[in-house]
Amino acid sequence: MVLRSLIQRLGFSAVINQQGPLPKAERILDLYVDVMIRSLTNSLYQDPSMIGRGEAFDLENRVNGRDWPKQGFSMAGHKRLRSLADQVIETVQNGVPGDFIETGVWRGGACALVRGLYKALDVSDRRVFVADSFQGLPPPDPDSFPQDKNLDLSIYPELAIPLKEVKKTFEAYGLLDDQVQFVEGWFKDTLHKVDSQCFSIIRLDGDLYESTIQALDALYPKLSAGGYLIVDDYGAIPACRKAVKDYRTTHGITSDIHEIDWTGVYWQRVGDSISNERTRNENVL
């Protein structure tokens, strides 16, 4: 198992019976992930949703990321956050090089989960890049991106979380430190300037065609071989899905797309040759 191998490599087995498996240490790490997910989504206190009828907490919706918690730090749901945690652990265990970046972070919950895992696993050489405008989504630009016509998410103030509020999420968990880097501004102006040689995981949550294609153009060439590209809105928003398909078609990406839940998907980078001069030798098979 990924957890067992990683725990052995990090030396946790020294405090456990060497004659058998490592169930205690595995349970500790697994329980940490589980409690973090329940806390970040505020499932512990049955936080009601901000959308729909605003009725009482619905566990099924929260597990599947179909609502917006009023007080929780993530709307991604249990399944997508668990998948993310598994990929963080796997990339560390397998030595896939690179930082983590999320484009579109809301209150920062998914990024906090990654930083928490790096801290729990004593990983000090990977950074967490938290990229957002911190003022909501841009209005659609149908002249440049006709796929976003009639998709105006800038009208939702609930999506405009200021930087100081996102920082409070990390502070609440004792995770605000130099390994967390905030990238503030519109993606077209910021993502190509991110100071990272390579990424082990890229998580896209920009909703729009524009935000998605800009993130892919700027970041995917830096994704390490064996790393993961995650798309939060693939199933929910046709414009986002179209951007992903267009990018994959343009660049000949054939890695299988795997479903996480009703909207989240990921693929693992293997075999394609997209690169830039900065990462050509490090990241491409």
Side-chain angles (χ1 to χ4, degrees), residues 162-176:
L163 175 58
K164 64 179 182 179
E165 295 299 320
V166 177
K167 287 184 176 180
K168 286 181 180 179
T169 298
F170 290 87
E171 289 174 341
Y173 291 91
L175 298 172
L176 186 62

PDB file of all heavy atoms in Angstrom, residues 162-176:
ATOM      1  N   PRO A 162     -11.654  37.333   0.116  1.00  0.00           N
ATOM      2  CA  PRO A 162     -10.427  38.125   0.159  1.00  0.00           C
ATOM      3  C   PRO A 162      -9.225  37.309   0.622  1.00  0.00           C
ATOM      4  O   PRO A 162      -9.364  36.315   1.342  1.00  0.00           O
ATOM      5  CB  PRO A 162     -10.758  39.243   1.166  1.00  0.00           C
ATOM      6  CG  PRO A 162     -12.245  39.271   1.258  1.00  0.00           C
ATOM      7  CD  PRO A 162     -12.702  37.862   1.001  1.00  0.00           C
ATOM      8  N   LEU A 163      -8.053  37.757   0.220  1.00  0.00           N
ATOM      9  CA  LEU A 163      -6.816  37.076   0.580  1.00  0.00           C
ATOM     10  C   LEU A 163      -6.673  36.927   2.088  1.00  0.00           C
ATOM     11  O   LEU A 163      -6.250  35.872   2.582  1.00  0.00           O
ATOM     12  CB  LEU A 163      -5.619  37.832   0.002  1.00  0.00           C
ATOM     13  CG  LEU A 163      -4.226  37.322   0.367  1.00  0.00           C
ATOM     14  CD1 LEU A 163      -4.045  35.873  -0.040  1.00  0.00           C
ATOM     15  CD2 LEU A 163      -3.159  38.203  -0.281  1.00  0.00           C
ATOM     16  N   LYS A 164      -7.016  37.952   2.840  1.00  0.00           N
ATOM     17  CA  LYS A 164      -6.850  37.885   4.291  1.00  0.00           C
ATOM     18  C   LYS A 164      -7.722  36.788   4.895  1.00  0.00           C
ATOM     19  O   LYS A 164      -7.335  36.167   5.893  1.00  0.00           O
ATOM     20  CB  LYS A 164      -7.180  39.224   4.937  1.00  0.00           C
ATOM     21  CG  LYS A 164      -8.622  39.683   4.799  1.00  0.00           C
ATOM     22  CD  LYS A 164      -8.841  41.018   5.503  1.00  0.00           C
ATOM     23  CE  LYS A 164     -10.309  41.461   5.396  1.00  0.00           C
ATOM     24  NZ  LYS A 164     -10.538  42.750   6.093  1.00  0.00           N
ATOM     25  N   GLU A 165      -8.874  36.514   4.291  1.00  0.00           N
ATOM     26  CA  GLU A 165      -9.735  35.441   4.786  1.00  0.00           C
ATOM     27  C   GLU A 165      -9.144  34.072   4.458  1.00  0.00           C
ATOM     28  O   GLU A 165      -9.238  33.136   5.262  1.00  0.00           O
ATOM     29  CB  GLU A 165     -11.137  35.573   4.195  1.00  0.00           C
ATOM     30  CG  GLU A 165     -11.879  36.822   4.628  1.00  0.00           C
ATOM     31  CD  GLU A 165     -12.092  36.862   6.134  1.00  0.00           C
ATOM     32  OE1 GLU A 165     -12.393  35.808   6.723  1.00  0.00           O
ATOM     33  OE2 GLU A 165     -11.945  37.955   6.723  1.00  0.00           O
ATOM     34  N   VAL A 166      -8.545  33.930   3.285  1.00  0.00           N
ATOM     35  CA  VAL A 166      -7.918  32.660   2.915  1.00  0.00           C
ATOM     36  C   VAL A 166      -6.723  32.389   3.829  1.00  0.00           C
ATOM     37  O   VAL A 166      -6.506  31.246   4.264  1.00  0.00           O
ATOM     38  CB  VAL A 166      -7.492  32.682   1.439  1.00  0.00           C
ATOM     39  CG1 VAL A 166      -6.768  31.384   1.071  1.00  0.00           C
ATOM     40  CG2 VAL A 166      -8.709  32.876   0.539  1.00  0.00           C
ATOM     41  N   LYS A 167      -5.975  33.424   4.146  1.00  0.00           N
ATOM     42  CA  LYS A 167      -4.856  33.246   5.066  1.00  0.00           C
ATOM     43  C   LYS A 167      -5.335  32.777   6.428  1.00  0.00           C
ATOM     44  O   LYS A 167      -4.648  31.982   7.107  1.00  0.00           O
ATOM     45  CB  LYS A 167      -4.074  34.552   5.205  1.00  0.00           C
ATOM     46  CG  LYS A 167      -3.232  34.899   3.984  1.00  0.00           C
ATOM     47  CD  LYS A 167      -2.404  36.153   4.221  1.00  0.00           C
ATOM     48  CE  LYS A 167      -1.489  36.441   3.039  1.00  0.00           C
ATOM     49  NZ  LYS A 167      -0.666  37.659   3.252  1.00  0.00           N
ATOM     50  N   LYS A 168      -6.511  33.219   6.844  1.00  0.00           N
ATOM     51  CA  LYS A 168      -7.053  32.791   8.136  1.00  0.00           C
ATOM     52  C   LYS A 168      -7.338  31.295   8.168  1.00  0.00           C
ATOM     53  O   LYS A 168      -7.256  30.664   9.224  1.00  0.00           O
ATOM     54  CB  LYS A 168      -8.326  33.570   8.455  1.00  0.00           C
ATOM     55  CG  LYS A 168      -8.085  35.019   8.863  1.00  0.00           C
ATOM     56  CD  LYS A 168      -9.404  35.724   9.180  1.00  0.00           C
ATOM     57  CE  LYS A 168      -9.176  37.169   9.591  1.00  0.00           C
ATOM     58  NZ  LYS A 168     -10.464  37.868   9.873  1.00  0.00           N
ATOM     59  N   THR A 169      -7.673  30.732   7.007  1.00  0.00           N
ATOM     60  CA  THR A 169      -7.881  29.280   6.937  1.00  0.00           C
ATOM     61  C   THR A 169      -6.601  28.556   7.333  1.00  0.00           C
ATOM     62  O   THR A 169      -6.616  27.627   8.155  1.00  0.00           O
ATOM     63  CB  THR A 169      -8.301  28.867   5.518  1.00  0.00           C
ATOM     64  OG1 THR A 169      -9.542  29.494   5.180  1.00  0.00           O
ATOM     65  CG2 THR A 169      -8.455  27.347   5.411  1.00  0.00           C
ATOM     66  N   PHE A 170      -5.478  28.968   6.774  1.00  0.00           N
ATOM     67  CA  PHE A 170      -4.203  28.340   7.102  1.00  0.00           C
ATOM     68  C   PHE A 170      -3.820  28.610   8.556  1.00  0.00           C
ATOM     69  O   PHE A 170      -3.305  27.726   9.247  1.00  0.00           O
ATOM     70  CB  PHE A 170      -3.113  28.846   6.156  1.00  0.00           C
ATOM     71  CG  PHE A 170      -3.256  28.359   4.749  1.00  0.00           C
ATOM     72  CD1 PHE A 170      -4.047  29.046   3.845  1.00  0.00           C
ATOM     73  CD2 PHE A 170      -2.615  27.205   4.333  1.00  0.00           C
ATOM     74  CE1 PHE A 170      -4.196  28.593   2.541  1.00  0.00           C
ATOM     75  CE2 PHE A 170      -2.750  26.741   3.033  1.00  0.00           C
ATOM     76  CZ  PHE A 170      -3.545  27.443   2.138  1.00  0.00           C
ATOM     77  N   GLU A 171      -4.089  29.811   9.024  1.00  0.00           N
ATOM     78  CA  GLU A 171      -3.784  30.137  10.420  1.00  0.00           C
ATOM     79  C   GLU A 171      -4.591  29.273  11.373  1.00  0.00           C
ATOM     80  O   GLU A 171      -4.084  28.845  12.423  1.00  0.00           O
ATOM     81  CB  GLU A 171      -4.085  31.615  10.685  1.00  0.00           C
ATOM     82  CG  GLU A 171      -3.100  32.564  10.011  1.00  0.00           C
ATOM     83  CD  GLU A 171      -3.502  34.019  10.181  1.00  0.00           C
ATOM     84  OE1 GLU A 171      -4.690  34.280  10.493  1.00  0.00           O
ATOM     85  OE2 GLU A 171      -2.640  34.895   9.996  1.00  0.00           O
ATOM     86  N   ALA A 172      -5.831  28.991  11.030  1.00  0.00           N
ATOM     87  CA  ALA A 172      -6.699  28.199  11.908  1.00  0.00           C
ATOM     88  C   ALA A 172      -6.136  26.808  12.146  1.00  0.00           C
ATOM     89  O   ALA A 172      -6.364  26.209  13.209  1.00  0.00           O
ATOM     90  CB  ALA A 172      -8.101  28.106  11.313  1.00  0.00           C
ATOM     91  N   TYR A 173      -5.394  26.274  11.170  1.00  0.00           N
ATOM     92  CA  TYR A 173      -4.822  24.934  11.277  1.00  0.00           C
ATOM     93  C   TYR A 173      -3.332  24.967  11.605  1.00  0.00           C
ATOM     94  O   TYR A 173      -2.681  23.923  11.599  1.00  0.00           O
ATOM     95  CB  TYR A 173      -5.057  24.154   9.981  1.00  0.00           C
ATOM     96  CG  TYR A 173      -6.506  23.800   9.742  1.00  0.00           C
ATOM     97  CD1 TYR A 173      -7.339  24.641   9.015  1.00  0.00           C
ATOM     98  CD2 TYR A 173      -7.054  22.628  10.264  1.00  0.00           C
ATOM     99  CE1 TYR A 173      -8.670  24.325   8.801  1.00  0.00           C
ATOM    100  CE2 TYR A 173      -8.381  22.298  10.057  1.00  0.00           C
ATOM    101  CZ  TYR A 173      -9.186  23.155   9.333  1.00  0.00           C
ATOM    102  OH  TYR A 173     -10.513  22.847   9.129  1.00  0.00           O
ATOM    103  N   GLY A 174      -2.793  26.125  11.878  1.00  0.00           N
ATOM    104  CA  GLY A 174      -1.367  26.234  12.163  1.00  0.00           C
ATOM    105  C   GLY A 174      -0.506  25.923  10.964  1.00  0.00           C
ATOM    106  O   GLY A 174       0.590  25.375  11.104  1.00  0.00           O
ATOM    107  N   LEU A 175      -0.956  26.311   9.754  1.00  0.00           N
ATOM    108  CA  LEU A 175      -0.282  25.920   8.524  1.00  0.00           C
ATOM    109  C   LEU A 175       0.191  27.104   7.691  1.00  0.00           C
ATOM    110  O   LEU A 175       0.627  26.913   6.549  1.00  0.00           O
ATOM    111  CB  LEU A 175      -1.215  25.044   7.676  1.00  0.00           C
ATOM    112  CG  LEU A 175      -1.656  23.719   8.308  1.00  0.00           C
ATOM    113  CD1 LEU A 175      -2.731  23.053   7.456  1.00  0.00           C
ATOM    114  CD2 LEU A 175      -0.470  22.789   8.501  1.00  0.00           C
ATOM    115  N   LEU A 176       0.109  28.300   8.211  1.00  0.00           N
ATOM    116  CA  LEU A 176       0.548  29.472   7.455  1.00  0.00           C
ATOM    117  C   LEU A 176       2.035  29.692   7.679  1.00  0.00           C
ATOM    118  O   LEU A 176       2.472  30.138   8.739  1.00  0.00           O
ATOM    119  CB  LEU A 176      -0.246  30.711   7.874  1.00  0.00           C
ATOM    120  CG  LEU A 176       0.022  31.983   7.057  1.00  0.00           C
ATOM    121  CD1 LEU A 176      -0.358  31.779   5.594  1.00  0.00           C
ATOM    122  CD2 LEU A 176      -0.748  33.165   7.645  1.00  0.00           C
TER     123      LEU A 176
END
